[in-house]
Amino acid sequence: MTDDETHGEPSGKPSGKPGGKPNGKPSGKPSGKPSGKPNGKPNGKPDDRLARLGGDLQARGRLLCGELADPHTVLGLHAVEGRWVVRVYHPHAVRAEALQGAQAYPLERVTGGLFAGEVPGAEAYRVRLHFSDGSAWEREDPYRFLPTLGELDLHLFAEGRHRRLWEALGARPCTQDGVAGVAFAVWAPGVRRVSVVGDFCDWDGRQLPMRALGSSGVWELFVPWVEPGAHYKFELFSQAREIVLKADPLARAAEAPPNTASRVVRSEYEWGDGAYLAARAERDPRRAPLSVYEVHLGSWLRVPEEGDRVLSYRELAPALIAHAQRFGFTHLELLPIAEHPFTGSWGYQVSGYYAPTARHGEPDDLRYFVDQCHQAGIGVILDWVPAHFPKDDFSLGRFTGECLYEHPDPRRGYHPDWDTLIFDLGRPEVRCFLLANALYWLEEFHFDALRVDAVASMLYLDYSREPGGWIPNQHGGNENLEAVSFFRELNRWVPEECPGCFTVAEESTAWPEVTKDVAEGGLGFTFKWNMGWMHDTLEVFRMDPIYRQYHLGKLTFSMVYEYSERFVMPLSHDEVVHMKGSLWRKMPGDDWQRLANLRLLLSYMFTRPGKQLLFMGTELAPDAEWNHDKSLDWHLWDADPARAAFARFLEQLGAVYHAHPSLWEADHEPRGFAWIDCDDAEHTVISYRRIGGDEQLVVVLNLTPVPRSGFRVGLPLPGPYGVLFDSDAADFGGSGGATEQAITASEQPWKNQPCSAAVDLPPLGALILQPPPREPEALDSDDMIAVVD
């Protein structure tokens, strides 16, 4: 602005409604590098009056060249020598007018598409633009509005502490000065210009340049005539004078791939899960049943009659809810559903961190899905990926033409395993982008928990890197101290903002205290995946049973470290892909033995300490491993009675798990488990007690195909024992020989137990025995954990 010019503060209300959209169809392409040449010349040399109306000559030049960081200094309403002047710019306009009330005031061409003229006052105004083809349109002027972000927003963001960042950045439908429109804001420090482009401006970066808000790196513009449903991107003019066209990092919706534009959306959804959320806030997930069904929405069920299309969020809701209820799953865990360009990544290479994938519908459709789950008593966990992101040109990579979201040094910013980029957690704004994103899914979509992917890759600076390929921290170590700080902050924010929600770490190393409270020096996760248990257990179960006697210690070893963390036992998607085979295919023996081994494995999983997670399709016992491009093999239940029987087994196992607090109430406390016998390698039989609430159960596993009649088992109490569950029951496809037996324990000590009984053990079977209804005796400390090497 010139010394004698000030920007007026608009007042009053506009007269009428915004007009239509610009003529022409969006090209979907950037407008190209600005030429700096105006679109036409004024007739003759401009006089002094016109020059004064046009404002500062240097600022005008930067505007026309596409390098003006604050176009509001030129455009909009200004006080010039005691008079009010309106300036508007459109590269294709041939005539312009300002309208106050019912009166139109002509604006004179200053140069190119820049017009200026006087109006009688500082009241709100509209502009009318005329074009060479005879068309015209009338609209509110974006450059008459004050910024939509406040100083507090910018301050919190700069410090990495803005917990509701999605309410400051992105595309937000709102009302300014009584006018409806969309507030656009993006973080892009160090560039020469940012414009919002879309189907509302012919994708022309000259039409809607944004203003830089101080030194924050944030650019902002309120555009009155844009409505929900509009497609848009940001056009950045980099320091290298190159055009960079990017999707909005905080877009709340995006086009379905392979298209890449962001979309403006407004949620109209009305939630009905208030009772569920109130109860959740009072629930401790550590002492509640937690049985998770991991789901890839795109391949759980498809519609073959319609070209094998995937189901929408709304179509999936009733089917998945009924399925989870049948098998007793407490939670669904969704593989990543933030927008991602490559379906084959399963969602683990995210391009739109704030946008639910459009493959299954609109954001409000996802809200409906979660809401329906909650009303049915089913929780929903989101697989969240803060570890890395893809290099696609339209997304976060080199966002400003230079590294912004990723670390600039490839030894810190590039992931060699996945050919992806790694977030620079040392930048407060990047940390804030991710931390606020975690809260966004929990608050805006009511997810119950986040399963955080690839935690180990974030914790170690030398993860999957050769010597010399990584940079030590300031202490010379391989610990990523910025990631440690990030996780601690995440696990402070979540319980503070979302009571009852929890976090789960997919962490595969021996990093200590992952689930220890942040206040006590830990990372603060609620649970950690027990990858050691998974690897050891599957290794033993792959073996021919004759060899298991030599490796019994590998099966029981996990109890040595069981209480070092709070664990979830995963049999996840990672175990049934990349030529690893399905769980059924991993099991040894003929078809009958494969199913018997699988029933035994799951019985062990559901009855030992820790929560459990199963990947979808486990209930079908398929031969083939998972294929993300096709539906699960639902026909197997109809085609094979043995697999239908296996489904009944899993259904009953889930019911038993739910009904008995001893199987989940003290999962993470030594009082909840005690070995009876873990070193009987000769018979390859293990037994243990589960204690919780006012009950205890006894579990006996026969890991061989040899039936064992009259096998003596140590028991905690005398009297009759019922067979609560038999994995070898005839209804489950088993032999059924042990289900109806009568078991009476006498006071004959055995295996450090005061009582014992002769029990018929089924082949490759698990029995859950229920003692007579008496209070459990106090456990000695020596009973808590006994293991073999």
Side-chain angles (χ1 to χ4, degrees), residues 52 67 84 168 218 243 339 605 701 775:
R52 288 195 301 273
E67 296 189 27
W84 293 105
V218 174
I243 291 291
E339 196 57 85
M605 180 189 198
L701 308 179
E775 289 293 326

Side-chain angles (χ1 to χ4, degrees), residues 60-76:
R60 275 176 10 218
R62 290 200 302 270
L63 172 70
L64 298 175
C65 291
E67 296 189 27
L68 185 59
D70 187 358
H72 292 70
T73 59
V74 173
L75 303 177

